[in-house]
Amino acid sequence: MPFRPLVRLIDRLAMTDRRYAFLFEKDVSGEAVSIDCETTGLDPWQDEIVAVAAIPIRDGRILTSGRYEALVRPTGPVGATSIKIHQLREIDLAKARPMAEILPELMAFIGPRPLVGYYLEFDVAMLNRYLLSAANIHVPNRLVEISRLYYERKYGDAPPGTEIDLRFSAIAQDLGVPERPVHDAFNDALMAAMMYVKLIDYIARGIRIPRTRNWDP
């Protein structure tokens, strides 16, 4: 989101529920949180979250045992198109809790730690919808977009005309991340976490990701 620092400042002043004030505190954890949401569609202003997973990362270690994971019961129907993607039917979500109960837990779990993800802007836009309703704020956390890190390591010095592939599956394959069934909140958050750990290591050691030249077979 453009002007994030300004939005963060305005949100801090305009916040209507002070229980979320901890999100604006300085992060001293040294950790990040990989997050993924599965939804009923791609419109953050109309569609709803049906599953969310958040996995802490500390010192290059992915702390799956300390993750937050929840199914969410939406207020509206789950369309056939979205069911084909994430395989979550209305009957699977019938006993899940509503987002009104999950949001405070999820945000308390995340705290002020940076968020990591692939196409993270969408997940954050979905969370913004609920946070705006609950506390009149946007997600204030620092955002770390996997595809941006990957682009910098692989294509940052590429000549004009270089073919660029930033698909999730292509990045995972290129980084040697084990393939797992996608469009599952936990699997996607875990794979993003593995990509992040590899890319941060590459950055720390000054390693660039090799590109196949156009004339290579």
Side-chain angles (χ1 to χ4, degrees):
M1 177 191 301
F3 313 114
R4 277 185 64 86
L6 179 59
V7 171
R8 180 185 167 98
L9 175 62
I10 294 172
D11 281 356
R12 193 167 191 167
L13 296 172
M15 182 168 33
T16 56
D17 187 340
R18 303 299 301 178
R19 289 179 298 174
Y20 290 95
F22 63 89
L23 292 172
F24 294 88
E25 294 175 359
K26 182 179 179 181
D27 174 45
V28 293
S29 69
E31 299 179 356
V33 177
S34 180
I35 190 166
D36 185 79
C37 301
E38 296 301 321
T39 67
T40 59
L42 297 176
D43 185 344
W45 296 108
Q46 294 196 22
D47 292 310
E48 301 183 67
I49 293 174
V50 294
V52 59
I55 306 174
I57 305 165
R58 181 195 308 146
D59 297 331
R61 290 181 297 129
I62 301 168
L63 308 177
T64 53
S65 61
R67 70 182 179 270
Y68 181 90
E69 193 174 8
L71 294 176
V72 184
R73 188 175 73 242
T75 59
V78 182
T81 302
S82 66
I83 292 173
K84 285 181 183 176
I85 293 173
H86 49 58
Q87 306 296 316
L88 290 171
R89 305 161 299 171
E90 288 184 13
I91 192 172
D92 300 317
L93 305 168
K95 294 184 179 178
R97 292 181 295 155
M99 197 59 179
E101 292 182 18
I102 288 171
L103 185 68
E105 286 181 4
L106 174 63
M107 300 316 295
F109 177 85
I110 294 170
R113 295 178 290 185
L115 290 175
V116 171
Y118 176 83
Y119 194 21
L120 185 57
E121 189 175 329
F122 173 73
D123 298 280
V124 168
M126 293 298 303
L127 291 174
N128 280 342
R129 172 185 170 184
Y130 298 102
L131 270 179
L132 282 167
S133 176
N136 198 35
I137 61 173
H138 301 79
V139 172
N141 305 57
R142 185 167 71 87
L143 307 181
V144 182
E145 171 58 46
I146 291 296
S147 62
R148 185 169 299 171
L149 294 182
Y150 177 78
Y151 177 90
E152 188 280 326
R153 284 293 96 187
K154 181 150 186 169
Y155 302 110
D157 59 352
T162 300
E163 187 175 340
I164 294 173
D165 189 349
L166 298 178
R167 291 173 300 143
F168 187 79
S169 58
I171 297 173
Q173 185 176 16
D174 202 13
L175 295 176
V177 168
E179 214 172 309
R180 303 174 68 94
V182 294
H183 298 304
D184 170 280
F186 172 71
N187 283 345
D188 289 356
L190 177 59
M191 291 175 70
M194 288 191 280
M195 295 177 195
Y196 172 77
V197 168
K198 287 219 169 191
L199 288 164
I200 290 299
D201 177 59
Y202 286 176
I203 292 169
R205 294 192 290 145
I207 297 174
R208 300 204 63 83
I209 301 170
R211 297 188 301 275
T212 303
R213 293 171 297 182
N214 291 336
W215 54 84
D216 285 345

